[in-house]
Structures are given as C-alpha cells and as structure tokens.
Amino acid sequence: MTALFLMIPYIGISAYIIWHVFKLTSAISVRLRSKIFRSIFLIFFTVIATSPLTSFLIASGPLHFLLKKLNNIWLGFMLYIILILAVMDAVILILRLSKKISRHTLRSRHFVILTRSGALLLAIVVTIFGVINAGWIRTTHYDAYVDKPCDISELNVVLAADLHLGYSVGARHMEQMVKKINAANPDLVIIAGDIYDNEFEAIEEPEKIQELFASIQSKYGVFACWGNHDLEEPILAGFTFGSHDKIETDVRMAELLKNAGVHLLSDETVLIDNAFYLVGREDSSRARKTGSGRQSPETLLSGLDHSKPIIVIDHQPKELQALADAGADVDLSGHTHDGQIFPGNILTSLMWENSCGLLSVDSMTSVVTSGAGVWGPNMRVGTKSEIVQLRIHFKN
C-alpha cells in the first residue's frame, strides 16, 4: 500500500521535471516547442520514469533485467535533479522577492538556459560520479580492544556486508572485493548479511560468484549471517508486498554459500580454536517475515564461557546496549549503507545509534560497515563502498 500512496507525489515530481525541461527546450529553440518534439520526449520520459513499475510487472527475461538496471540509475538521477531544481527555484524566489535581480532578467531566455541546463549538467555529473564511486571498494581500518585474555594476542578480522548481488552488483565487483579481502591476510572473514538482493535470478554468473566466495583466504574460515534482503520476495521501488506463500531464502543461494565454504550462523555459536566465540544472529526483519523467531542477546549468550572473547555478527546494528549487557565484546554489522547517497547519510546518523564506523557501548565495541555493494540507486554520493579490516587486540 505504501508504494501505491507514493504514486501521487511521484507523478507530481515527474511533472515538475517535465515542466522545467519544457522551459529549457522552449528557451533554446522555437522548434523544440512543437507537439512532435514534446510527444517524443514524453514517450521517452515515460519509459524511464515508469521503469520501477514495468520492471516489477515484467517479472523475468532480458527486458526485466534491462528495466531494473535502468531503474537503478534513474532513481539516483531523479533524486539529484529534484534536489538541484528545488534549490534553484528557492534561490530564484528569494532573488525575485528581494528584488536583487529584475523580473526581466529572471525571465530572460539566457537566464532560463543557463540555470536549467546548469541544473541538468550538475545532476548528470553527480550521477556519473556516484556510479563510479559505488564501483570503487576501499579498505577501512579500525582497532578494537577486548579486556579479556586470549590464546592469541591479536585477531585480524575482515568485515564485509551488503553485497546485494543482483542487478547492480555482479562478479566483477565481487572479484574486486575478494582481492581486497585476501590482500588483508585475514585470520577471520565475516559477511554480515544482505548477500544477495531478493532475487537469485538476478545474479548473472552464480557459478563465478561461488568460485569467488571459495577463493577467499582466511585462517579460521568465512562466516556469515543472513540480512533482511536475503529473501525471495517481490519488490516495487524498494517496498515489499505481502504474500500468502512462506517467504524464505532461495535454496540455491544457501547451497551456493555452502559449496563455497561459507558458514552461515542463524542464532548459532561456534567456539573457534578454543580461543574465542563467534555468534551469528538471525536478522530481526527476516525473522519476522519467515516466522523463525530470534533469540534475545541474553538467551543467546547465556551459556557461553564469558572469560573468553565473544564476537557477535548481527546484520542490523540493533540492541547494542542489550548485547553489551549480555556480555558481547565486539558486534559486527552492516545494513545502514551509511545512507549510501547524500543526504541519506544525514538521515541514517539520526536513525541509528551507530550508523557507520566504530562505537564503544560500555565495554563492547560496535563496528558498522557502509557495505561493499549498493541497494536501489546504483550510486554512492557522500559515502563509500568498503570492506573493514578490524584488528582486535586482547589482554595478554
């Protein structure tokens, strides 16, 4: 229902963009005011603007794949053209009311061309930058200190999350990620959820993806938990739709990870090298949709030897205080994407206790990565795609 309610403002926003485009083209040339040009433009614009809906209705095949890719670029571009046009119109209104510039100047052909074409060019530049930036994975370094003795003095952990394998992220992007993981020479590799993007069919080269997962090198292995997008369910413009069928992760994804040697933990604990615990939590959103339930931090950690370090993987950085109170020493998460595209990073910083980076919660360290992939718009502006290299130092 939410997606349907958003249709009205979406149509209004689209009309706003069209109005500005027609102002620009009319100022450029009288010929561009013709019904033929405007009809052609409206058809072209409609195809692009309705790609979120058409890619949803056309559920499979090459056209579905093409529309999804188009949609993922369009959503990001639309956000920035709207922001830029809105700011431009606000400035023009202020100039008009303050009488700093005459109405004649504001309505002049050259002023219209300069402002509208400038807005369009800036939105295009930001979109191109965002796409390029999203495809560039960095390595972010942190240190955490655990006041417990351990048979090892330091644990070199690489944390990755939010790959969202599918329409925007494929084997080429993952190959870059794996190279960076292996370059860090990790003792332990953690993948904190949202491994694929709701549709296994959207993964173009699953065999290659499996090979890449299997090629990750780590002393103690590769461990993962599921995220809220690791489910097969229809999505329109980022919103899910209820189904009478039971929602589950595609078995092919689970088999792919198992065959690649990735160990999935869902409210499960493993004792590694008799030195430290690794605890993987069931994602809260996924648990609600699958009906599987999710254990509380207190229940999950109650039976462990708390003299040993306890590392928790939880896709969403929730219940940080409860985890700290239950005895967790390090909590590893993703999910937030650090907002992914500005001003989303401002919003996520208000929504989450730790939206990205390192945070101490009593004696526990929370680490949240901005993620290696993207969701929705295939762009990153004001944020980065990353893996995290975390060196955990123990008391010895």
Side-chain angles (χ1 to χ4, degrees):
M1 287 299 293
T2 308
L4 296 177
F5 284 128
L6 287 175
M7 284 182 65
I8 295 174
Y10 185 81
I11 292 170
I13 289 170
S14 299
Y16 177 64
I17 294 173
I18 292 168
W19 177 67
H20 272 291
V21 170
F22 284 170
K23 286 196 73 170
L24 173 61
T25 54
S26 296
I28 291 173
S29 172
V30 176
R31 293 181 180 180
L32 297 182
R33 299 178 189 175
S34 67
K35 290 183 178 179
I36 295 175
F37 170 79
R38 291 190 172 186
S39 297
I40 293 171
F41 174 80
L42 286 173
I43 292 170
F44 175 75
F45 184 88
T46 302
V47 169
I48 296 175
T50 58
S51 60
L53 177 61
T54 52
S55 63
F56 176 79
L57 296 175
I58 302 171
S60 61
L63 184 57
H64 168 76
F65 200 89
L66 176 64
L67 289 169
K68 275 286 189 180
K69 282 185 169 290
L70 177 63
N71 167 45
N72 287 345
I73 298 294
W74 164 249
L75 290 176
F77 173 79
M78 186 180 190
L79 169 66
Y80 284 108
I81 192 63
I82 285 297
L83 286 176
I84 294 166
L85 288 174
V87 170
M88 181 195 74
D89 281 342
V91 171
I92 290 173
L93 179 61
I94 293 170
L95 290 173
R96 188 174 67 186
L97 294 176
S98 64
K99 298 181 180 180
K100 296 291 185 181
I101 301 179
S102 68
R103 288 193 176 189
H104 175 73
T105 300
L106 293 174
R107 293 175 179 177
S108 68
R109 175 173 174 267
H110 293 296
F111 184 82
V112 170
I113 292 174
L114 178 65
T115 52
R116 274 65 181 184
S117 60
L120 179 61
L121 180 61
L122 181 57
I124 291 171
V125 169
V126 172
T127 300
I128 293 172
F129 166 79
V131 172
I132 294 171
N133 189 42
W136 176 24
I137 301 175
R138 284 81 137 187
T139 302
T140 302
H141 300 271
Y142 297 123
D143 288 273
Y145 298 87
V146 175
D147 192 23
K148 289 181 181 178
C150 187
D151 291 341
I152 54 178
S153 60
E154 180 182 289
L155 186 66
N156 181 18
V157 179
V158 169
L159 167 66
D162 305 290
L163 281 70
H164 288 276
L165 292 165
Y167 298 103
S168 296
V169 181
R172 188 175 178 181
H173 189 83
M174 187 174 169
E175 188 172 5
Q176 180 190 171
M177 184 192 77
V178 171
K179 284 181 179 179
K180 290 189 176 291
I181 290 174
N182 289 340
N185 192 28
D187 297 320
L188 181 69
V189 174
I190 301 298
I191 302 173
D194 280 359
I195 301 168
Y196 78 120
D197 204 8
N198 294 101
E199 297 179 59
F200 185 84
E201 295 293 343
I203 302 175
E204 287 187 284
E205 302 175 87
E207 297 84 5
K208 178 66 174 177
I209 296 296
Q210 180 175 308
E211 290 175 9
L212 287 167
F213 273 119
S215 68
I216 296 175
Q217 299 167 12
S218 171
K219 180 178 179 180
Y220 296 120
V222 181
F223 293 84
C225 67
W226 291 125
N228 59 301
H229 282 276
D230 293 315
L231 292 167
E232 289 288 321
E233 57 181 336
I235 292 181
L236 171 58
F239 295 95
T240 58
F241 291 79
S243 173
H244 296 295
D245 299 326
K246 188 176 181 180
I247 300 173
E248 292 285 359
T249 300
D250 194 300
V251 293
R252 292 172 293 181
M253 191 71 228
E255 289 174 0
L256 183 154
L257 294 173
K258 182 179 178 181
N259 293 337
V262 178
H263 307 281
L264 280 160
L265 300 176
S266 296
D267 277 355
E268 297 173 276
T269 301
V270 291
L271 177 61
I272 296 179
D273 202 25
N274 201 36
F276 62 93
Y277 290 104
L278 184 64
V279 183
R281 300 196 71 189
E282 177 65 75
D283 177 69
S284 57
S285 300
R286 188 175 182 277
R288 185 180 68 253
K289 291 179 180 181
T290 61
S292 59
R294 157 167 145 130
Q295 294 183 34
S296 68
E298 184 180 5
T299 301
L300 195 56
L301 306 185
S302 61
L304 307 185
D305 178 0
H306 284 237
S307 67
K308 297 181 185 294
I310 300 172
I311 301 171
V312 176
I313 320 169
D314 193 359
H315 174 61
Q316 301 183 47
K318 290 185 172 183
E319 300 181 310
L320 299 185
Q321 188 62 59
L323 282 166
D325 292 343
D329 297 296
V330 179
D331 182 47
L332 306 175
S333 303
H335 182 68
T336 69
H337 293 227
D338 193 22
Q340 190 167 311
I341 54 177
F342 176 85
N345 47 349
I346 297 175
L347 297 176
T348 54
S349 66
L350 299 173
M351 292 169 59
W352 297 91
E353 183 179 358
N354 182 15
S355 62
C356 189
L358 205 69
L359 177 71
S360 294
V361 181
D362 293 341
S363 60
M364 185 188 79
T365 301
S366 163
V367 182
V368 179
T369 175
S370 65
V374 291
W375 173 80
N378 185 15
M379 299 166 54
R380 277 192 180 270
V381 179
T383 67
K384 62 183 178 181
S385 298
E386 68 171 9
I387 61 167
V388 167
Q389 184 175 13
L390 174 68
R391 294 190 180 275
I392 304 176
H393 307 273
F394 302 105
K395 179 182 178 181
N396 284 300

